[in-house]
Amino acid sequence: MTTGVTSIRGFGENSYLTIAEYKNAPTSIDFDNLVVGGNSGAQDAELARVILRATSFLSDYLGQDLTAQGRTETQRVRFNNQGYIALHPNHNPIISLSNFQYGSTPNNLTTLTDPSTCWFEDQQIIIPASDSQLTNSSQGPLAFGGTGAGNRVFVKYTYVAGYVNTTIVTATASATTITVLSGDGFIAGESYRIYDGGSSETITVASTYTYGSTTVPITAALTYTHAAGVAIGNLPNAVKQATILATTAFIKARGDNSLTMAVTTSPSGNISGAQRYGSDLALALDMVSIYRRIR
């Protein structure tokens, strides 16, 4: 007996912040004593894990991972009255569609020859009727046209959705090309921020960019040199700030030897841990609520 295995690919464990981004933020947290007796490498490794847990916390609340990356999903969908297929992926904003397959049975799927003809909206992809080879019949393949409205079809598709949130590999002052760790989500003509403290700058991708490439030509020369590992992307600043707040709350609640400087007061001079840490998390969730996925 052969075991059926899912073709769905949606896992991506990517932090919304780099260690440097958190350290550069005004958090009033001593992040050099997260591991008692640990060296700087151990402290950074633990901070990275806390940032990843804070990211996971926010992603669970949002119902989606906001980092741009490739995903594969399978669905059963119906044709609308105009004979179109409207896909509603589990992640947004949608950036690209690289593969779309459809058919009346899951083991007999036809591949769309040119995904670039599809219509993209913030939370859905529309597959034009004219691009399908499905014929109008009550047996075999289903209708793809007005007369087939309401018929159900199996689909499998691969797409990229989310916000660019990767790191620099090479970026040298005066250069007009940068190299990034992942090319997922970069689009010609779009602008992206390099988060490098006092050397932060914004770049715009040149029209010569090849989608998906990790080599990114830019419209103007870089002002600064950026080290490998520096963050680059267009993840909303509210999401980054929310991740800073959530990370700070997680560190405060650890119960280890990390130092927390008092930044709030109460009439008695004391504030409960639940109130102090909970307010950080509540503010974080409020900041990102606009990006919450409604299913």
Side-chain angles (χ1 to χ4, degrees):
M1 179 180 295
T2 303
T3 301
V5 180
T6 180
S7 59
I8 297 174
R9 297 290 183 270
F11 176 78
E13 196 174 46
N14 300 304
S15 295
Y16 292 154
L17 293 175
T18 63
I19 294 174
E21 285 180 285
Y22 183 80
K23 287 184 174 182
N24 287 337
T27 58
S28 302
I29 290 291
D30 177 10
F31 39 71
D32 292 326
N33 197 26
L34 300 177
V35 179
V36 178
N39 59 22
S40 61
Q43 307 300 340
D44 282 354
E46 180 58 22
L47 178 56
R49 286 189 286 268
V50 178
I51 293 172
L52 187 58
R53 290 194 289 270
T55 298
S56 179
F57 169 78
L58 292 176
S59 294
D60 286 347
Y61 171 77
L62 296 172
Q64 62 174 337
D65 182 344
L66 291 178
T67 300
Q69 57 186 291
R71 300 174 171 91
T72 298
E73 295 182 15
T74 57
Q75 296 176 9
R76 288 173 295 157
V77 299
R78 295 185 184 276
F79 299 104
N80 63 19
N81 291 333
Q82 290 76 41
Y84 287 63
I85 286 179
L87 301 176
H88 296 272
N90 289 323
H91 300 266
N92 64 79
I94 300 163
I95 298 174
S96 66
L97 177 71
S98 60
N99 183 271
F100 175 76
Q101 299 176 52
Y102 57 92
S104 57
T105 65
N107 295 320
N108 185 27
L109 301 180
T110 299
T111 301
L112 187 67
T113 56
D114 187 6
S116 69
T117 61
C118 298
W119 177 260
F120 295 91
E121 298 180 4
D122 183 44
Q123 297 189 27
Q124 64 179 355
I125 306 170
I126 306 299
I127 310 296
S130 60
D131 287 347
S132 174
Q133 299 173 4
L134 291 176
T135 59
N136 186 15
S137 173
S138 60
Q139 299 179 1
L142 301 176
F144 199 38
T147 58
N151 283 333
R152 179 169 288 183
V153 65
F154 292 88
V155 300
K156 181 171 73 171
Y157 57 99
T158 300
Y159 68 104
V160 172
Y163 296 93
V164 172
N165 187 44
T166 187
T167 56
I168 294 289
V169 175
T170 57
T172 306
S174 300
T176 55
T177 299
I178 65 173
T179 306
V180 295
L181 184 64
S182 171
D184 284 344
F186 281 94
I187 301 174
E190 290 292 319
S191 296
Y192 303 93
R193 183 71 170 167
I194 298 176
Y195 297 90
D196 196 8
S199 298
S200 296
E201 57 184 312
T202 299
I203 59 99
T204 300
V205 180
S207 60
T208 55
Y209 175 65
T210 300
Y211 181 78
S213 174
T214 55
T215 300
V216 183
I218 55 180
T219 58
L222 287 173
T223 302
Y224 306 103
T225 293
H226 305 283
V230 169
I232 179 174
N234 63 350
L235 187 70
N237 285 324
V239 177
K240 286 188 174 288
Q241 183 60 41
T243 310
I244 292 170
L245 288 168
T247 301
T248 298
F250 283 15
I251 293 175
K252 289 179 182 179
R254 288 168 57 89
D256 60 14
N257 289 340
S258 59
L259 172 66
T260 302
M261 298 173 61
V263 293
T264 56
T265 59
S266 65
S268 63
N270 296 311
I271 275 186
S272 68
Q275 183 178 349
R276 181 182 298 119
Y277 314 146
S279 63
D280 285 339
L281 293 179
L283 179 56
L285 297 182
D286 185 58
M287 293 183 71
V288 299
S289 60
I290 190 175
Y291 304 103
R292 197 171 190 184
R293 181 76 164 96
I294 305 300
R295 303 184 188 278

